[in-house]
Amino acid sequence: MKNKDDVRFSKADQAIRQSFIDLLKVKKFDRISVKMIIDKAAINRSTFYAHFLDKYDLMDQLQEELLVNLINNLPDVNWQSNKPLIEQFQDRATGIVQNINQNRELFVLMLSNNVGNSFEKTMQDKSRTVFEGIISDEYLTVPREYVVVLLTSAVSSTLIAWAKNGFKESPEEFANIISHIIPNLAIQLVQNPHNTNG
């Protein structure tokens, strides 16, 4: 059971985050001050600094947690599985589209002019890390570094375009689109592990 201090800390943390998000909806990041955040959250300065180093740390944590939520519970890619790789990549593509849809308000906000391009870079960095973790060198048909760059760029750019287009397609429609684009690209970069010699 949480004690009162834990509950108080958690409530203050949530108040800071929500106040910051509300401010980002109407102001550019570089125009938002810590004072604006603490005034809106109705907390004192020392409480803010007990949670975050500064507004940049707050932004970094929000973006990192959003990205963690976007890749949460995605199915693993098993190169030795009897399930075709294209189907495994399709499952991951569908999963991330569903996760973006569940976090779409914050996702769009982080891509807005008020935030700048920091989230796009953070998203690409996270995508690169994810692909580096699931790609097996043994089965690549081209050098690893190019595979990672190609998949990172394709996934990030396509998802960002969907959001910036106002989610014109439904999650189901877009999942179908990305399930055709990304897996087929990935398959071009690897050889079937079940057809390799040795």
Side-chain angles (χ1 to χ4, degrees):
M1 181 177 179
K2 291 184 176 180
N3 61 42
K4 290 182 178 180
D5 288 340
D6 290 335
V7 173
R8 190 179 300 115
F9 188 92
S10 180
K11 286 184 176 180
D13 189 82
Q14 182 57 40
I16 293 168
R17 291 167 187 268
Q18 189 58 54
S19 296
F20 182 54
I21 288 170
D22 290 344
L23 286 167
L24 277 174
K25 292 176 181 178
V26 296
K27 291 180 180 292
K28 290 185 177 297
F29 174 68
D30 58 6
R31 297 300 182 96
I32 297 174
S33 66
V34 170
K35 185 178 187 308
M36 291 178 184
I37 299 170
I38 64 177
D39 286 348
K40 189 168 185 62
I43 59 171
N44 58 43
R45 188 172 290 271
S46 62
T47 299
F48 176 89
Y49 287 112
H51 293 258
F52 305 99
L53 298 174
D54 49 34
K55 71 174 187 176
Y56 299 96
D57 181 39
L58 172 54
M59 175 67 85
D60 288 345
Q61 289 196 38
L62 276 178
Q63 292 186 357
E64 178 64 25
E65 288 170 10
L66 173 58
L67 289 172
V68 168
N69 287 335
L70 296 187
I71 63 174
N72 188 40
N73 295 324
L74 292 183
D76 293 331
V77 172
N78 182 352
W79 296 77
Q80 298 295 337
S81 172
N82 289 324
K83 185 173 184 178
L85 277 174
I86 193 166
E87 291 184 18
Q88 295 186 58
F89 277 105
Q90 285 173 338
D91 289 344
R92 285 183 68 89
T94 299
I96 197 167
V97 168
Q98 292 172 342
N99 288 347
I100 286 177
N101 186 53
Q102 292 171 1
N103 295 273
R104 63 193 297 166
E105 183 177 354
L106 185 56
F107 188 74
V108 169
L109 179 61
M110 288 297 152
L111 292 171
S112 70
N113 291 333
N114 283 353
V115 172
N117 62 2
S118 64
F119 182 64
E120 292 188 35
K121 182 181 183 306
T122 302
M123 183 175 174
Q124 289 180 342
D125 290 344
K126 176 66 75 174
S127 296
R128 185 177 298 109
T129 299
V130 169
F131 280 118
E132 286 174 345
I134 66 174
I135 291 173
S136 175
D137 289 0
E138 182 181 354
Y139 304 116
L140 297 183
T141 59
V142 297
R144 179 189 182 86
E145 59 188 289
Y146 301 121
V147 174
V148 172
V149 168
L150 281 167
L151 291 177
T152 296
S153 177
V155 171
S156 299
S157 299
T158 306
L159 294 172
I160 288 170
W162 182 44
K164 288 190 171 182
N165 285 338
F167 299 103
K168 184 169 61 177
E169 296 83 9
S170 70
E172 294 74 20
E173 290 171 333
F174 189 74
N176 186 54
I177 291 171
I178 200 171
S179 291
H180 280 83
I181 297 174
I182 305 304
N184 283 299
L185 173 60
I187 293 304
Q188 295 301 313
L189 303 175
V190 300
Q191 58 187 325
N192 189 331
H194 299 296
N195 290 340
T196 56
N197 296 321

